[in-house]
Amino acid sequence: MTVRCRIAPSPTGPLHIGTARTALYNFLFARHEGGTFVLRLEDTDVARSTVAYERDILDGLHWLGLEWDEGPEVAGQPARGPYAPYRQMERLPLYRDAAERLLARDLAYPCYCTRDELDADRAAQEAAHQPPRYVGRCANLTAGERRAREAEGRRPAIRFRIPPGTVAFDDIIRGRVEIETDALGGDLVIVRSDGTPLYHFTVVVDDAEMAITHVIRGEDHLSNTPKHILLFRALGADVPAFAHLPLILNPDRTKMSKRKSQTAIADYRGEGFVREALVNFLALLGWASGTEEEIFTLEQLVERFDLARVHSGGAIFDRERLEWLSGQWIRRLPTEDLAERLVPFLSADLAARVAGGARVVRQPTVEDMRPLMPLVQERLPVLGAIGDLVDFLFIDPIAVDPALLVPRHWDAGTAVEGLEAARDVIAARGRVSFEADELEGPLRELAQQRGWKAGDLFMAIRVAITGRTATPPLFDTMVALGRARTLERLDAAAGMLRERLPTD
Ligand code: GLU
């Protein structure tokens, strides 16, 4: 048997962390088994589906590197695969045919119940503390009774008969699952009275038609699976194997939902988490690698992935771990690649500062970024943190908080003295000897001569030339800034502090 599995997102929201993980596990499983990974868009909820969400989902999967073998046409590329189209709204005739087949064998029937009737049933069940279920009013109408309702102008929905008994299946992750069909809410609407098919139906018709062998999806679908199995059987199709992935939980073990947590992949991407880290993180969100190792490339994951090592308990989303992985991955990127990825983040950061009144002296380019890589590569948890590390190189003048210019053990007078003396020491280095190694010694010496802690002097200099208390290494920072701007900023800072000194 050749494995065929699929991701079947509904474009009713942006690509969600959970959908991305499901896509990843399907992708890994298909690649590991030498099978086929299908992308199908389940867009039958017309009111909530949008083209923008569809684009977000496809872009996000593409960005993560989860290329599908079969799927809808995108970005001018024609649909790929033998079962096109891969958007459900373009497949309506298939569902109609399948519904006809079920009607013809009386496995489904037309249901003429009105909204009012159904609402009244539900209210009565609620009052009696019973779970909602269809009462079966239309299950056994005679041909005459149906005609009479048609004559009244009622348009029927189609209901699938849920037979009595038990549905059992062996979930690859959860083991044996048995559910009494009694608990499924009665006969199931598969086509609305306006002719549009419902999710439970389309998903089964398509999985059957597209010869899906493994349905790997979130645990939230576990309770749907018995309905789906009954539908597969009724349609005379092979029932695929099922694997239900554990829920993704917040650290407080509540379900991760878009209301309470950041769940859109685009938001993580926007913060500058690198794709390698997200893939690595999502892979470990529910799957045990079986080794102590924590860093995996997509290729390594393909090699190792095994549904048997997906756990059934909830998977806790640990943002700190994601940040750690992201930092690890940023360190592993080739510097040229990192420099390229950083440019748009730095540009966006600078644009935000311009909006706040700063003047950007130059737009960063890859050439600008290259020499900075040794200074930042070990210090970035996410690409979006680049502005905090190097923005002062691109902005003039920088904002300096005078209070920060005065280190803890100093008073303002000492700070002025320190900045001025440092300025002279640095000015004594010509353009040629303006190197990190050549700056450190003389400045340490200066501190020693005056009886200052080197750390205090360095902090005053750091704040003066960057506006920040935490930066890449100080002497490299001076070199990156250049001799002239370093001196200018030291002057400006000393001048600003001097103005604030009491005059007596
Ligand atoms: N469209 C469904 C969803 O987004 C797919 C469920 C399934 O994989 O069967 O939840």
Side-chain angles (χ1 to χ4, degrees), residues 302-370:
V302 165
E303 201 174 295
R304 292 169 194 223
F305 189 76
D306 177 2
L307 282 173
R309 270 191 277 112
V310 174
H311 30 92
S312 55
I316 302 220
F317 187 99
D318 177 354
R319 190 184 156 101
E320 272 175 36
R321 182 173 165 90
L322 174 58
E323 284 178 11
W324 178 80
L325 278 169
S326 181
Q328 291 296 316
W329 269 107
I330 287 176
R331 281 164 210 222
R332 286 167 167 78
L333 292 180
T335 52
E336 184 68 12
D337 181 6
L338 178 59
E340 279 170 21
R341 294 197 206 192
L342 284 170
V343 171
F345 282 92
L346 183 56
S347 298
D349 191 272
L350 293 173
R353 293 193 197 200
V354 169
R359 195 169 66 85
V360 171
V361 286
R362 54 183 291 131
Q363 283 307 323
T365 62
V366 178
E367 286 69 46
D368 294 325
M369 300 308 288
R370 236 175 249 140

Side-chain angles (χ1 to χ4, degrees), residues 402 405-407 410-421 452 457 460 493-494 497 501:
L405 283 170
V406 184
W410 286 12
D411 57 19
T414 315
V416 172
E417 202 187 311
L419 290 170
E420 288 179 346
W452 297 328
L457 177 64
L497 263 192
L501 289 181

Side-chain angles (χ1 to χ4, degrees), residues 441-462:
L443 286 169
R444 283 196 185 278
E445 219 166 278
L446 169 68
Q448 203 178 14
Q449 280 163 9
R450 305 285 177 106
W452 297 328
K453 281 208 170 83
D456 288 334
L457 177 64
F458 296 170
M459 183 53 80
I461 298 173
R462 172 177 281 115

Side-chain angles (χ1 to χ4, degrees), residues 34 41 82 125 128 148 180 187 214 232 237 241 257 286 314 330 365 374 403 409 412 416 420 457 486 494:
L41 286 163
Q125 285 159 353
E180 297 299 320
D187 296 344
H214 292 75
F232 276 110
S257 72
I330 287 176
T365 62
H409 310 105
V416 172
E420 288 179 346
L457 177 64
T486 300

Side-chain angles (χ1 to χ4, degrees), residues 1 3-6 26 29 172 212-216 240-241 307:
M1 175 187 64
V3 162
R4 290 180 55 84
C5 56
R6 83 312 192 261
N26 274 280
F29 181 66
I172 297 173
I212 296 301
T213 58
H214 292 75
V215 171
I216 304 167
L307 282 173

Side-chain angles (χ1 to χ4, degrees), residues 61-97:
L61 293 174
H62 188 71
W63 176 70
L64 289 168
L66 308 182
E67 294 306 336
W68 47 93
D69 306 304
E70 295 177 18
E73 91 289 347
V74 252
Q77 302 293 315
R80 260 196 311 247
Y83 300 100
Y86 291 90
R87 272 190 195 76
Q88 289 190 324
M89 285 307 284
E90 294 165 10
R91 301 172 60 79
L92 295 177
L94 273 147
Y95 313 128
R96 210 168 301 135
D97 287 356

